[in-house]
Amino acid sequence: FFVFSHPVGQYNRVWIPDPEEVWKSAEIATDYIVGDKVLRLLLEDGTELDYSVNPESLPPLRNPDILVGENDLTALSYLHEPAVLHNLRIRFAESKLIYTYSGIILVAMNPYKQLPIYGDAIIHAYSGQNMGDMDPHIFAVAEEAYKQMARNNRNQSIIVSGESGAGKTVSARYAMRYFATVSKSGSNAHVEDKVLASNPITEAVGNAKTTRNDNSSRFGKYTEISFDEQNQIIGANMRTYLLEKSRVVFQSENERNYHIFYQLCASAQQSEFKHLKLGSAEEFNYTRMGGNTVIEGVNDRAEMVETQKTFTLLGFKEDFQMDVFKILAAILHLGNVQITAVGNERSSVSEDDSHLKVFCELLGLESGRVAQWLCNRKIVTSSETVVKPMTRPQAVNARDALAKKIYAHLFDFIVERINQALQFSGKQHTFIGVLDIYGFETFDVNSFEQFCINYANEKLQQQFNMHVFKLEQEEYMKEDIPWTLIDFYDNQPVIDLIEAKMGILELLDEECLLPHGTDENWLQKLYNNFVNKNPLFEKPRMSNTSFVIQHFADKVEYKCEGFLEKNRDTVYDMLVEILRASKFHLCANFFQENPAPLSPFGSMITVKSAKQVIKPNSKHFRTTVGSKFRSSLYLLMETLNATTPHYVRCIKPNDEKLPFEFDSKRIVQQLRACGVLETIRISAQSYPSRWTYIEFYSRYGILMTKQELSFSDKKEVCKAVLHRLIQDSNQYQFGKTKIFFRAGQVAYLEKLRLDKLRQSCVVIQKHIRGWLQRKKFLRERRAALIIQRYFRGQQTVRKAITAVALKEAWAAIIIQKHCRGYLVRNLYQLIRVATITIQAYTRGFLARRRYRKDCHSKVSLTGWLKQEKFTVLRFWRLEVPYQGFGRNKENHGLVEKLTSLAALRAGDVEKIQKLEAELERAAAHRRNYEEKGKRYRDAVEEKLAKLQKHNSELETQKDQIQLKLQEKTEELKEKMDNLTKQLFDDVQKEERQRMLLEKSFELKTQDYEKQIQSLKEEIKALKDEKTQLQQLVEEEHVTSDGLKAEVARLSKQAKTISEFEKEIQLLQAQKIDVEKHVQSQKREMREKMSEITKQLLESYDIEDVRSRLSMEDLEHLNEDGELWFAYEGLKKATRVLESHFQSQKECYEKEIEALNFKVVHLSQEINHLQKLFREENDINESIRLEVTRLTSENMVCDMPPPTPHKVLTVLLIIGKLEELSNQLNRSQEEEGTQRKAMEAQNEIHTKEKEKLIDKIQEMQEASDHLKKQFETESEVKSNFWQEASRLTLENRDLEEELDMKDRVIKKLQDQVKTLSKTAGKANDVHSSSGPKEYLGMLQYKREDEAKLIQNLILDLKPRGVVVNMIPGLPAHILFMCVRYADSLNDANMLKSLMNSTINGIKQVVKEHLEDFEMLSFWLSNTCHFLNCLKQYSGEEEFMKHNSPHQNKNCLNNFDLSEYRQILSDVAIRIYHQFIIIMEKNIQPIIVPGMLEYESLQGISGLKPTGFRKRSSSVDDTDAYTMTSVLQQLSYFYTTMCQNGLDPELVRQAVKQLFFLIGAVTLNSLFLRKDMCSCRKGMQIRCNISYLEEWLKDKNLQNSLAKETLEPLSQAAWLLQVKKTTDSDAKEIYERCTSLSAVQIIKILNSYTPIDDFEKRVTPSFVRKVQALLNSREDSSQLMLDTKYLFQVTFPFTPSPHALEMIQIPSSFKLGFLNRL
């Protein structure tokens, strides 16, 4: 058990033994004090327990919950049996994960259920991945073996072991399938399929149903898969071990014989098997012993069909298959042969036995002899031969032995033929072996088979222990960790007990040699040799027929009964001779005496065994089963030792075969037996927990102080933290790349980290709660202030309302009342007076008017009355005298009146009649007019309806035209805006460059000022130096005067004047020679200096030199006789010249850099203007065509044409071009000004050079006066000469560079002038009324066709085309050539051109299958070419988008629809390859960028990874990020757009890429449990938002790409959402519609908290969600198909470019084409 390494207090959790669950968890209720013998515990069910403890053997501690459920058991901080068991329970029972790592072992739990985790998509997901990056899987082990084989060129082996029913065969099958999938061979032999096909055959003849497993392998198998140098499968070989032959003749209850027998019986009624005379399996003794002949869910007849198919696939013909089936049928019939007892000593078989006859008929035997020797045996002695009859049991045993022997030979024969079918020609480079062998077995009754199986497991366990020990030692040595000897279990004593000299096997073989050897005698020898002598061998107390061996896994008791017989494996000689004489060739070959061939593995093994293989005794010719098994086992161990092993331990979770049921007892038993716990124990003894420095820094950065984090080296930070946190330095070790921890230290660090997090959470909560409370307090305070304000107001009011106040208030109100009444009355009186006044005047006016009217009426009436009165008076006066006369006259008048009245009446009657007639005529006319009006109204209404209908049609057309016009206007406006934006950007760019130039000028000015200041300081220093020199000269004068006096004094004393005179004469002669030599050197120097200075100092600034040379220096140079001062002056002059040359050189270099910058800028500007000019030409042409088309349409519709608006747009664009040309002219003028300034500066430099030359000459004249020279003068001259030469050469180089830049500038200026002239001409062309007409064709000759294809397709480079030309230019050129061939009506010419074009495109694509830009370019041009063929085909559906001028360019003579179909197929192939290349480029970036990279910093954390480290555990500074994904997408998008790919195709390609991103990320998420956390869901959602922003930025929202990310988005949401209640389950069911039920359950089961603050998903919640999802009918596949391709559609997009306006660039080298 584990000893506490840290103080254990209350609430710590421990494991205590339990008889049911093996281990159960408990919590410490009170603190543990060292020395306590009782530990008070609180169990999980709430009960308390006083647990007795031993201070030296305390109960093991439980790991923190955060470490539970890890992929690798070695990642657990506390490594012991209960921790391993609990981790496996969590992963298997709750998370439904069947694979777990335990160091180098893969523990595989049999789920007893089909899981969707073995498809090809899973294989491809694991291919190429590191073992620690993905969830544990058999594919991960296979990939690791394959990768190590390919990388190290070393053979590998995968050892799959486990007891029956644990899933060994399936695991081995999946490993082989993985190799076959990832290493497809290039040949057509389908070697991989043959390798996989060998499994169904060996399972049919070697597997059977047992009580533990429905498909149990009853033999061991080692399959060696061979690879070539390209790591492709070239063949395989198979070796088998210890077939369980006894199953052929005996099966226990609920077990079956080998599958092949039942398959054969199930197919007995088929015609090809009728001659075998078989029936159902219940009719044969060998197939019905187990009671149940059917396996639930297995169709034996269908399995037989599958077996026949695999036989055929391996190349086995039907004759061979039928021979095999005949032998199998013969074995079944042999088992039904009836043997009857004759007395007690004899037995017999009837020759008429039907089954005997069929047996002999099938094998070609004599039934009489077979019947005889089945019941008798021949005993050969030295003197005689005796035939001895056998009892019935003996005869039955002989029959069964014969059946077993035949089946064993058949099994070996089938394996041999499979190996022959998998043979390969050539040399094997490497191999991977897959060992599928039985695990440790112990039953109630254990016999010889279990003994051999456990012996093999002892050998494998020894090899495993040594390998684990070796790996541990290598790890420690690699990390420079002190290595201490670890005590581990060595099972060599058990192996010696079995196989050593005088061991169990040798004693067994010795007993088998004796004629009367028995099991009892052999057992007695074992007792005598080993009991009380070997502690590993025991004799049971209650039995004398068995023995016990202490194996590494457990004690096993073996029954000795049958050991000798099974070891001998003998068949009586006469039966063998009968079979050897069989007429059936296959049966006869089985029993031939020739020795067995050597295994094909023998020649491949180069490593020798540590021990000599014990050979069988040569005294007898038969090899026993035990010795053969031992030899094959040695050969197997040699093979495994020569390879790198990988271990898979299969565990059977329960004996009832229930899915995901966890039986702790059975699992612990197997874990102890398979070596998993031994691995854990070895690791736990040293430093089991290992973290890389990166992992530790990332995980425990929260525990680091500021001072520690300030270190630049993360390794030092980790060391400092650990020294502070863990005082005992023995608890950890620092390696080169990892930190090694003893058991429990990681748990302690996790506790510290959790405490720190909790403390931080408390601080955060404190501040948040404080902020909330302060916010609440301020809100309440404001409310209280408001309440107080109103309350105080009310109080003030109440205090103000008193009796006096009320009286004053009433008095004020009364005063106000009277005052207001007075005011109102005054106002009323004023209004009343005004009203009365108005009324008075109004009434007066009305009265006067009425009076005047009355007066006038009265006057008129008075006059009338007077007149009437006068008339009456007059009448009465005349009436009396004339009364009679009056009456007669009155009568006469009346008569006249009557007569006139009658006449009038007659006239009136006549008039009335006329009027009536006229009225009738008028009525008739009216009726006629009404009828005419009605008809006219109807006609008018009809015309009006027609006009209204016509008007509505015109309105519709008008709306359509206006809509089109609006769209065109918006498009042109958008283009105009883009152009304006580009111009504005260019202006801004120029402004920025101008500012940069100004800034650089300012910097230069500052530099110059600094130089002037330094020169001033230097002049000051020179003046000081001059003063010092003057002082020295005065001192020298004084000294010289003293010396002269001394010379005068000494000359008087000289006695040897004659000798001095001779020496003087000699010196004078030498002086003359020296002076001549000096004069000649001066002349040469003067000539050379004159030549040099002419070339050297043309740009010299004489004034600058004068400013630097002081007057004293010049005087030194001009003085005669003062050689020293002259020399010093010359040196100063030389230094001044050197400094000036250096400054002049730097100025020139700066000027050249500035000119270079200007040249680059001008070239960029010219390219940009050229591009703008071409775009404007295209826009102008499209505007002109659109205006023409719309004008014609509007004239037809009698609509006002929109020409002025379009013309205005054109004029605006032309104006922009003019502005561009003006800008070019201005830039030319600026360049001219700069040029003039440079020329003026050069002139100044020339003048300065001339002045400098004059100065040099003066210096030379001054040097003529130097009379004396000393030896250093020549050195000065040579230095000056070298420096002058160097500066001259540098000056020449600078002048050459200036000339070159001048030429470049002149060339660029010429280009600008040409471009401006071209722009002007283009404007003139657009504005002129009669432009030159082209036909839109390109004339070429037949012999130039190959050159056309070569230059335009095969040799064309995309980058030179897409930058400066219109999209699809090659396609337009090709179509213009097609038009020319069509215009000639030359079918052969057109056919040849089309075929050459298509073949050229195919060829260029084939040559550049991996070049994304080339594929994009030719996909674009193929689509453009296809669209041109459609657009100008003459078909109405394509012509409706053309302008009238474009319709004139349609093909006239040929229908190219077949070629369009071919081109469409070519485009589809290019598109698919185009998509493949994009996916190939982006796929390696997806998982690191989308899943592993932390876009949101600070919310993630690493957990322990155990033995298998993630690839991200190393420093990932160069790892891919989300930015890498976006950059790759942008590169794809930019390339596609530059190549002119149709926007719809771009959208389809982007959709395909987004689907791949989502599918790959989601598939990786399914296979990485460590990524299924809430924080990772946030990261994924953030990354998805980046992708959505990218779509928005590229205006691709309508590409449906976002929808392809919906499954990934829902998975991210599922990781983040709460997963507790029923409502949560319902929400998951409703929201996750894009995920299948399998995927949802997988994510929920894989959900892994990163910290203790996150909670695990409970199994009950998963069951709730699963119950809701059961109603769904979706796919059962877990992985998304990343190879899925959406259907591509090529949209028809008519070209806007007029063919007659297209020009061919000279870079295409198509000068042989002529525009017509």
Side-chain angles (χ1 to χ4, degrees), residues 1489-1490 1493 1495 1520-1527 1583-1584 1586-1587:
M1490 288 289 295
Y1493 177 66
S1495 304
Y1520 293 116
T1521 64
M1522 190 61 206
T1523 306
S1524 306
V1525 178
L1526 297 178
Q1527 287 176 349
N1583 292 337
I1584 292 174
Y1586 288 149
L1587 292 175

Side-chain angles (χ1 to χ4, degrees), residues 1254-1439:
D1254 296 335
K1255 184 63 180 175
I1256 295 294
Q1257 290 176 356
E1258 291 177 4
M1259 291 167 62
Q1260 289 175 350
E1261 292 172 0
S1263 65
D1264 291 339
H1265 296 286
L1266 299 175
K1267 299 297 181 180
K1268 294 181 181 181
Q1269 297 289 340
F1270 43 86
E1271 295 176 355
T1272 59
E1273 183 178 347
S1274 59
E1275 296 178 359
V1276 173
K1277 287 188 208 176
S1278 61
N1279 291 336
F1280 187 82
W1281 167 261
Q1282 292 174 0
E1283 185 66 16
S1285 301
R1286 184 179 64 80
L1287 294 174
T1288 303
L1289 293 174
E1290 289 181 357
N1291 208 10
R1292 285 180 182 174
D1293 295 337
L1294 292 174
E1295 288 178 352
E1296 288 176 0
E1297 285 188 21
L1298 278 174
D1299 292 338
M1300 187 183 300
K1301 297 301 179 183
D1302 290 340
R1303 289 194 295 271
V1304 172
I1305 292 171
K1306 186 175 181 182
K1307 184 178 179 181
L1308 292 174
Q1309 288 174 346
D1310 293 338
Q1311 290 181 2
V1312 172
K1313 292 177 181 178
T1314 305
L1315 182 61
S1316 60
K1317 290 178 181 178
T1318 306
K1321 290 179 181 179
N1323 291 333
D1324 295 336
V1325 168
H1326 288 297
S1327 60
S1328 62
S1329 59
K1332 187 175 180 180
E1333 290 291 338
Y1334 287 99
L1335 300 178
M1337 298 183 193
L1338 290 176
Q1339 182 184 13
Y1340 72 98
K1341 299 177 182 179
R1342 285 290 296 272
E1343 55 269 19
D1344 293 333
E1345 182 182 292
K1347 194 189 301 182
L1348 172 66
I1349 300 301
Q1350 185 71 30
N1351 294 345
L1352 191 59
I1353 298 178
L1354 301 179
D1355 295 341
L1356 191 63
K1357 304 301 180 187
R1359 293 199 175 184
V1361 178
V1362 299
V1363 176
N1364 299 322
M1365 306 303 170
I1366 65 172
L1369 180 59
H1372 287 84
I1373 294 174
L1374 287 170
F1375 180 72
M1376 291 166 72
C1377 294
V1378 169
R1379 281 201 61 216
Y1380 174 71
D1382 176 75
S1383 66
L1384 296 179
N1385 199 12
D1386 189 340
N1388 293 329
M1389 186 177 183
L1390 183 61
K1391 183 177 180 182
S1392 175
L1393 178 61
M1394 290 299 297
N1395 290 333
S1396 299
T1397 300
I1398 293 172
N1399 292 331
I1401 293 174
K1402 289 181 179 178
Q1403 181 180 346
V1404 74
V1405 169
K1406 186 176 181 181
E1407 291 174 354
H1408 301 85
L1409 284 177
E1410 302 296 324
D1411 191 340
F1412 170 73
E1413 293 185 3
M1414 187 68 80
L1415 290 173
S1416 173
F1417 178 73
W1418 280 110
L1419 176 61
S1420 173
N1421 278 282
T1422 304
C1423 293
H1424 278 100
F1425 190 39
L1426 183 61
N1427 287 336
C1428 285
L1429 291 178
K1430 291 179 180 179
Q1431 183 178 0
Y1432 297 102
S1433 63
E1435 299 178 17
E1436 186 177 352
E1437 60 174 322
F1438 301 125
M1439 290 175 61

Side-chain angles (χ1 to χ4, degrees), residues 715-753:
K715 199 171 182 180
E716 296 300 323
V717 175
C718 297
K719 289 182 179 180
V721 172
L722 279 176
H723 287 317
R724 178 172 55 84
L725 295 179
I726 302 177
Q727 303 299 326
D728 186 2
S729 60
N730 188 39
Q731 298 299 321
Y732 55 87
Q733 289 286 345
F734 295 106
K736 290 182 178 178
T737 61
K738 299 176 187 175
I739 307 173
F740 290 67
F741 295 97
R742 290 202 183 274
Q745 301 309 308
V746 172
Y748 174 66
L749 291 174
E750 284 294 320
K751 178 179 179 299
L752 294 178
R753 180 177 181 272

Side-chain angles (χ1 to χ4, degrees), residues 17 149 387 407 438 576 836 927 1014 1214 1263 1327 1421 1628:
M149 179 198 69
V387 176
Y407 190 81
Y438 15 66
V576 173
I836 291 172
R927 285 193 296 272
S1014 64
I1214 293 172
S1263 65
S1327 60
N1421 278 282
I1628 291 172

Side-chain angles (χ1 to χ4, degrees), residues 527 538-544 546 548 557:
Y527 289 163
E538 298 177 6
K539 177 183 178 297
R541 293 182 180 180
M542 306 300 295
S543 174
N544 291 323
S546 59
V548 177
E557 181 178 344

Side-chain angles (χ1 to χ4, degrees), residues 153-170:
N153 290 327
R154 178 175 170 84
N155 299 328
Q156 309 288 314
S157 59
I158 297 177
I159 302 172
V160 184
S161 64
E163 68 175 50
S164 178
K168 301 185 301 297
T169 302
V170 176

